[in-house]
Amino acid sequence: MGTLSKYRLLILCSGLLFVAIGLIVAAPVKWVVLWTDALIFTLMVVIIGTAWMVRSRPYLLAPWRRVVRNRIAAGALVVLLSYVVIGLLDSIHFRELLPAQEGSHQQHYSSNTLSLLDKLLTPIRIQEEKSYSAPFAIQLFSKESLQGDDGTTVRDYPRLQYGGAHLADISQRKEDITNTLLLASSYALATWVVISLLVVWMLARRHGQSYRQQFKQLIRGEMEMPWCTLLLMFLVILLLLFISMMLGVKYHIFGTDKVGQDVFYQTLKSIRTGLVIGTLTTLVMLPFAVVLGVAAGYFRGWVDDVIQYIYTTLNSIPGVLLIAATVLIMQAYIAGNPELFETMEERADARLFFLCLILGITSWTGLCRLLRGEALKLRELDYVQAAHAFGVPQNQVLSRHIFPNVLHIVLISLVLDFSGLVLAEAVLSYVGIGVDPTMHSWGNMINGARLEMAREPMVWWSLMAAFVFMFILVLAANLFADAVRDAFDPRAVR
Amino acid sequence: MIAYIIRRLLYAVPILIGVNILTFWLFFVVNTPDDMAHMQLGMKHVTEEAVDNWKAERGYDRPLFYNEQQDGMSTLTDTIFFDNSLRLFVFDFGQSDDGRDIGYDISERMWPSLALAIPTLIIGLLVNLTFAMLMAFFRGSYVDLSGVILCVVLMSISGLFYIIGGQWLVSKVLHLVPISGYQPGVDAWKFLILPVVIGVIGGIGSGSRWYRTIFLEEISRDYVRTARAKGLGERLVLFRHVLRNALVPILTGVVVVIPLLFMGSLVMESFFGIPGLGSYTIDAINKQDFAIVRSMVFLGSVLYIIGLILTDISYTLVDPRIRLN
Amino acid sequence: MRIFTFISLCMVMAFISACDGAWNNPYPADESDDNTLYSSFQERPKHLDPAISYSSNEIVFTGQIYEPVVQYHYLKRPYELIPLTGEALPKVSYVDGEGNTLEDASGDVAYTIYEITLQPGIQYQPHPAFARQGDDYLYHALSGTELASIHTLYDMQQSGSRELVADDYIYQIKRLAHPGLNSPILGLMSEYIDGLGEYHKTLQQARSGDEWLDLRDYPLTGVEQVDRYTYRIKIKGNYPQFVYWLAMPFFAPIPWEADRLYSQPGLIEKNITLDWYPVGTGPFMLTVNNPNLQMVMSRNPNFHGEKYPEEGAPGDEAAGMLVDAGKSLPFIDKVVFSLEKETIPYWNKFLQGYYDASGISSDSFDQAISFDAAGQMGLSESMQAQGIQLKTSPASSIFYMGFNMRDPVVGGESERARLLRQAISIAVDYEEFISIFANGRGLAAQGPIPPGIFGYLEGEAGINPFVYEWVDGQKQRKSLDQAKKLLADAGYPDGRDVGTGKPLTIHFDVTASGPDDKAWLNWYRKQFEKLGIQLVVRNTDYNRFREKMSSGNAQLFRWGWNADYPDPENFLFLLYGPNGKAEQGGENAANYASAEFDALFETLKSMPNGPARQAVINEAVELLRYDAPWIWGMYPVSFALYHEWYKNLKRNMMANNTLKYARIDTVLREQRRAAWNPPIVWPLLVIILALVILVTPAFIAYRRHEKKVVS
């Protein structure tokens, strides 16, 4: 390693940046940055910046190493990362250029905002049926009057427009699915083998070992990092990716909803909503919580009194009512300023943003109180007192001594809050004060599924899809949060 | 002690005033008196005159905070805010926008809420403690591990799934209990049994895991080792020493929520059609009945503050080293 | 341990013995064979005071309790008015400006006079307002100590009754103008009832604080008492629809005693008002009023008696609707309404037999309804096996989409906007909407007048020629190509402005928050995409929506109208220029204003039903179809499912006092409930067993561990 590799990295990064900028300028689209997009990118920058900082400070890096060494946490991390990738793809928005019109040179863009994910999922996105259809069905879920060949009306299940349209008959379905499954699995396996070999090769090079030796070590789990687990998880993800994509264009693998939209597509779109609520909520209020919490603990006196008053007051208002009121206000604001929100996506996004904000307001008080307590403790410590005695300015004391030492609390609460917030979104949408009803979210899916459950035969797939995707995310987040807490909190029971 | 409580109660007054101003402002931004009038008067054939009349009847034709047309103190007192807020402090909630006595409704609806919340709390506490003790007892073994995994899994399932699934299975498929509804008195149990069970199951995950952590922390302390060294059986150590000491943080955690039990559970009550304060609040939000919402906010704040005070007191009761001052 | 097992065993035994029969019966077990009808309410009724109440969920109660002078015949179609408390239908006479009586309505009518004579001997329900000791009313001036022990109306132990007289009807008409009540029809009625507007002002001046206004002391010019049982109402001009108003609870009797009783501030504070404790002469009276849980109506012991109709519409006899002909009403003793907010429990309870009748929500539909080969609706096999029956009826209402005619893009008189509206009307495929969202329970609307109302035409004559074609004896929506052509003619080829190339964007103002809303919003978007038009949904809460509507800033919106009475005037007035929402705050939400249509409307308004009127209506409707201020949307069809023990049910969209006709076979109901709801216990036992199996190894390990420590 050394300076050379650092430069190489820098050159690589700037090269990538240039390519990205080139693409952005050259692409025949109008890029749209929604409010939450901007925040997500800010969050990414913050995370990358922090990672950069942590890299060069071994005492900060150590707990992270502990986290990643934990097998379960590493597996959970892979799952979380794949969610994040989907979420990020879904956060790059643009409006496509409309075909030019004769005799007019003006360029116009579609008023439909799409994301990169939409573009990638195009066949799945636009293959809309008329109404409900079950997973892998080739017929609609309910009977309709059909015109027979001889002109008579028959009541039967009509064939789907897209799902399994390439099949002549239902009897071929099983074979078709099996074939596609096998094909997709073999693709996935092949990709995985290539990537795994690459990884082993890289590791071998770095550790200066022979290829075979490295391989043995990896299999036996003698490495510092749980590479074996990571690669296996990666295989699972690859398998799922290939299978879902290859089957997804032929069938509706999670069925379709009431207006015939693919449920799998909806579930994937819901990921971004869940992630946004889970992360941005804490991020938005983080500055307030940190500044106020530290200030209260550090300065004490009237500052402390005022800050305590503010958060006790906010805390004592039942959260749901506060959220309800604010969501209503925000609706009034959006309705009053239609020129700010041109498209439906922007309106829905603004509502999501406000929801994050208000959820933040109801949840930052806990963090604030923790930080206040920690700051109270820290200011009495010897080295802080010593810094005072030497006449170090207060802002320096705060930024050098207090702030870095409360960072782990911020981090732990961020990770711990995540899963709770994802779950809260569902409940709030049920109460009718969650995200916009036009937005894809698990809460909205569950809410809609309540009515579907009453049908006979039951329409269960929307609920199931939302359940599975949400469960996996929250489970991974919980497992990861446990590992993070254990790694950072020295008192934690292992 | 009494002096302390009085001081805390006095400290609560500015907080409640703050809560009142905030909620009042929030709700009048979204819900002007005009909106309320239209909401109440219905959709067909409503004239402006009827709206004005409605407002005048209820005193909503005055300014919100500051009345310029009055002199002296009445610039502040002859306003909607003063009229509607001050009497809250003596728990006179007045009438809802559709003309019902809020205090009476709250006193009626409080009981179903409590009938649901108290059993859920107590049974939940017992189940969680048992489960956590079990895990702590077998710490490190497969029982512990599978217990923890079970907890994380249970935690990761949205509460809505428990409710939807439970209602579907137990009421619709198995015909064991009524699907929803309520009867006051002794008959209430058959409506409450399912929501209570679901509430308990929904809380097992996080509850047991938390209690387990507390138990383990307690077990690792010196006195436990001493007790064990004295030759006490594991069961005795666990029940006599660990449980008793671990109860301190557990009970204080529970005390905070006790007053808030009055507020009821929003989701549970509306799913099961239980006429408690939770569904009352949801209805009020949906109907934008400002008077009810504000009363509930006020009630919630008061109960929260009482909870805080109770917590402090319970600390001194279980741990004599802590003094209130 | 053993003791514990014993106790739990005892508990299980007690549990099982406590609820023999169905375990999931939501009603007390001892009520099961009462002659009671079980129904539900979704939202607590806000007003039961007949001067204020206007919502359909309130009229379920007020309709049974209050009796106006006329009512709709239960069985006959088209709807027909018959006397209720009146001796006969109101006698109508016309007067000109000088007070001369006219022969008929053809001349210059200045006033119309309705004379009504009541049947003698009708008594009010028992009510404390009538309770007397000697000449003094017991509860009209309650003291503080008396008030302290009163929490509901039923705490006033004594009750009395009195005969119904003409003055009670007059009293209620006066109450419509009461400044403290804000009756929703005061504005409308002031235009018709002579002197009502001025009367409102008089009362405003006369009123001081909350003190009781004895309306008997203030005469109203438009209403006149002739004798104890007869009164007259004087209407400005000719307004033949007024007689329909007389069938609504707005014109039911209110005894002054009740008004006096309820005016006491101490009672108002305790919610004891006419809004919560109605008093009437009808077949039922409200005996339990707990809107948080349950409302119960019981048979009124003083009911004057009424017989089940002897004749009905064709086919009623065959349908068994006349089995009870001539028998005394009502048949049931009690109606229990339970609060049921969610549709799923409601539907499931109906299937389990705990509600006697049900409407169907769209999502339960597949379960309930099946179609035969010809596409005719019938009950599905599982429903038929349960003995459930189905009644349908067109719902005399319309759900439409309106264009704001003040909008520069979609509104206005210009040819361009008209073509655009017509193109959109073709593209929005309401047949598909009905099949997805209403599961076929509706008809695609051809104009503003729904079936069952005079002026609606069947078949080819009734289709909207701008949206439909008549092909092979069936109506068929015009093709999308035709819509695209219209759009191109309007200057938006492929949804792009021909001048600038800018894509056409239309804003759809909605209030959506429910779980089902996302689906239909997507659906609308798809419809407009077919033409290349971008539909932007502006979703907001109801208040903001209302503001937007009344300031005329919406572009496209959904709205609906329920008929007040079965007359085309009640639908066409929704497009009458002077009723514009933005300018006048009226009901013309689309702000449509066409001098030609307004003139036709004024003509047809006061015409009697007949070919002449039909001709004018046709002309007016044709004009509307051409201008297309609404996408006509759909006429919903109302469905009712009911169990076989529920007798004499016929959908009547106008009458609201229909519970008195219902009869319940309680024995059958009891049998069916037990048969349908057998508790299935084995999964519970399996779960308990599984738990035991899971815990046993832990327990064994624990015992071993214990021994190890001790040893």
Side-chain angles (χ1 to χ4, degrees), chain C residues 298-370:
Chain C
S298 306
R299 186 194 282 266
N300 170 9
N302 298 345
F303 184 53
H304 53 88
E306 198 186 339
K307 300 278 186 273
Y308 193 89
E310 306 263 356
E311 50 186 312
D316 278 348
E317 178 136 36
M321 294 303 299
L322 291 174
V323 172
D324 291 323
K327 291 190 185 158
S328 282
L329 301 176
F331 297 115
I332 45 178
D333 296 332
K334 214 162 89 171
V335 191
V336 173
F337 292 87
S338 308
L339 180 66
E340 197 71 79
K341 271 184 255 166
E342 304 272 334
T343 54
I344 297 162
Y346 170 66
W347 174 248
N348 284 326
K349 278 188 195 167
F350 168 71
L351 289 184
Q352 293 173 344
Y354 296 120
Y355 288 129
D356 297 320
S358 160
I360 326 171
S361 76
S362 138
D363 282 276
S364 320
F365 188 79
D366 288 350
Q367 188 179 0
I369 308 290
S370 67

Side-chain angles (χ1 to χ4, degrees), chain A residues 305 308-309 312-318 320-322 324-326 328-329 332 369 423 426-427 430-431 433 446 450 453-456 458 463 466-467 470-471 474-475 478-479 482 485 491 493, chain B residues 11 14-15 17-19 22-23 25-27 29-30 152-153 155-158 160-161 164 168 172 209 213 216-217 263 266-267 270-271 281-282 285-286 288 293 296-297 300-301 304-305 308:
Chain A
D305 286 341
Q308 275 203 62
Y309 172 72
T312 318
T313 306
L314 277 177
N315 230 6
S316 63
I317 299 178
V320 179
L321 296 176
L322 194 63
T326 329
L328 290 174
I329 289 182
R369 195 186 325 207
L423 294 176
V427 175
Y430 166 74
V431 183
I433 49 177
I446 296 171
R450 285 190 308 126
M453 292 280 287
R455 293 176 82 104
E456 192 91 20
M458 198 165 73
L463 187 74
F467 171 73
M470 201 163 147
F471 175 67
V474 175
L475 185 63
N478 276 334
L479 293 174
D482 273 1
R485 196 184 40 195
R491 283 191 317 121
V493 188
Chain B
Y11 182 62
I15 290 178
I17 292 176
V19 166
L22 189 68
T23 46
W25 177 78
L26 279 179
F27 279 94
V29 169
V30 267
V152 178
V153 169
M155 265 171 75
S156 306
I157 297 174
S158 167
L160 293 176
F161 286 109
I164 295 175
W168 176 77
K172 195 183 169 195
R209 215 167 67 120
T213 322
L216 289 188
E217 205 163 313
M263 302 291 287
L266 298 179
V267 178
S270 58
F271 256 104
T281 315
I282 291 239
I285 292 174
N286 290 335
Q288 303 198 358
V293 172
M296 291 307 290
V297 169
S301 313
Y304 175 81
I305 290 164
L308 288 184

Side-chain angles (χ1 to χ4, degrees), chain C residues 524-592:
Chain C
Y524 278 113
R525 213 144 57 124
K526 264 161 78 176
Q527 304 308 305
F528 281 75
E529 250 163 39
K530 290 195 287 196
L531 291 179
I533 302 175
Q534 307 284 343
L535 187 73
V536 175
V537 177
R538 289 196 290 216
N539 184 17
T540 181
D541 64 312
Y542 176 71
N543 282 327
R544 241 41 60 189
F545 178 69
R546 185 186 50 71
E547 248 170 40
K548 224 177 219 171
M549 292 302 294
S550 50
S551 59
N553 283 331
Q555 195 166 27
L556 183 66
F557 55 90
R558 295 207 321 170
W559 204 277
W561 184 257
N562 257 323
D564 287 319
Y565 42 81
D567 192 90
E569 181 263 355
N570 197 237
F571 285 92
L572 292 173
F573 92 109
L574 298 171
L575 288 155
Y576 181 52
N579 281 337
K581 183 128 218 145
E583 303 254 304
Q584 310 291 332
E587 297 295 341
N588 179 355
N591 297 306
Y592 177 69

Side-chain angles (χ1 to χ4, degrees), chain A residues 68-291:
Chain A
V68 185
R69 255 180 251 151
N70 182 335
R71 262 165 202 282
I72 296 178
L77 191 63
V78 175
V79 176
L80 285 179
L81 278 180
S82 40
Y83 271 84
V84 167
V85 167
I86 295 175
L88 283 179
L89 282 176
D90 205 9
S91 300
I92 301 170
H93 289 97
F94 53 83
R95 282 156 66 177
E96 286 182 301
L97 187 69
L98 291 173
Q101 203 154 24
E102 283 171 54
S104 163
H105 298 291
Q106 264 179 304
Q107 287 195 326
H108 288 288
Y109 296 95
S110 157
S111 51
N112 248 351
T113 309
L114 291 180
S115 74
L116 222 50
L117 185 75
D118 290 328
K119 202 71 192 158
L120 291 175
L121 294 177
T122 298
I124 304 181
R125 173 169 61 95
I126 56 174
Q127 290 180 357
E128 291 186 4
E129 310 293 346
K130 191 180 164 200
S131 188
Y132 289 117
S133 69
F136 293 105
I138 66 168
Q139 288 170 324
L140 272 184
F141 190 60
S142 49
K143 284 186 181 176
E144 273 182 16
S145 306
L146 299 174
Q147 289 283 332
D149 294 330
D150 49 353
T152 52
T153 322
V154 206
R155 255 197 101 69
D156 200 2
Y157 301 103
R159 279 291 294 265
L160 294 181
Q161 210 180 337
Y162 300 100
H166 59 292
L167 303 178
D169 189 69
I170 183 104
S171 57
Q172 300 169 351
R173 188 177 64 170
K174 203 168 175 186
E175 199 193 336
D176 185 59
I177 293 178
T178 325
N179 286 344
T180 320
L181 260 177
L182 287 176
L183 197 67
S185 313
S186 47
Y187 283 158
L189 214 62
T191 322
W192 180 69
V193 167
V194 172
I195 291 178
S196 304
L197 289 178
L198 262 173
V199 168
V200 176
W201 175 73
M202 251 173 54
L203 287 174
R205 239 186 68 135
R206 186 193 283 180
H207 295 170
Q209 281 173 322
S210 85
Y211 195 74
R212 180 176 295 182
Q213 231 176 341
Q214 187 64 47
F215 196 71
K216 261 188 198 157
Q217 259 191 350
L218 195 141
I219 297 260
R220 287 186 194 144
E222 289 165 355
M223 313 266 307
E224 190 195 7
M225 295 271 282
W227 280 107
C228 204
T229 318
L230 285 178
L231 285 175
L232 278 178
M233 278 313 288
F234 189 59
L235 174 65
V236 173
I237 302 244
L238 274 180
L239 274 173
L240 288 177
L241 181 76
F242 274 87
I243 292 173
S244 60
M245 284 304 127
M246 291 180 68
L247 277 175
V249 291
K250 288 183 180 177
Y251 299 94
H252 300 288
I253 54 174
F254 283 153
T256 54
D257 73 349
K258 192 166 188 168
V259 284
Q261 212 175 31
D262 192 288
V263 172
F264 181 55
Y265 170 70
Q266 292 181 4
T267 329
L268 289 182
K269 290 287 282 180
S270 304
I271 288 177
R272 178 175 182 271
T273 315
L275 291 179
V276 164
I277 296 249
T279 53
L280 292 192
T281 299
T282 322
L283 180 82
V284 177
M285 288 313 291
L286 205 56
F288 294 88
V290 172
V291 169

Side-chain angles (χ1 to χ4, degrees), chain B residues 207-222:
Chain B
S208 312
R209 215 167 67 120
W210 182 40
Y211 295 161
R212 171 183 169 269
T213 322
I214 293 175
F215 283 141
L216 289 188
E217 205 163 313
E218 213 57 45
I219 285 175
S220 65
R221 282 181 204 270
D222 290 342

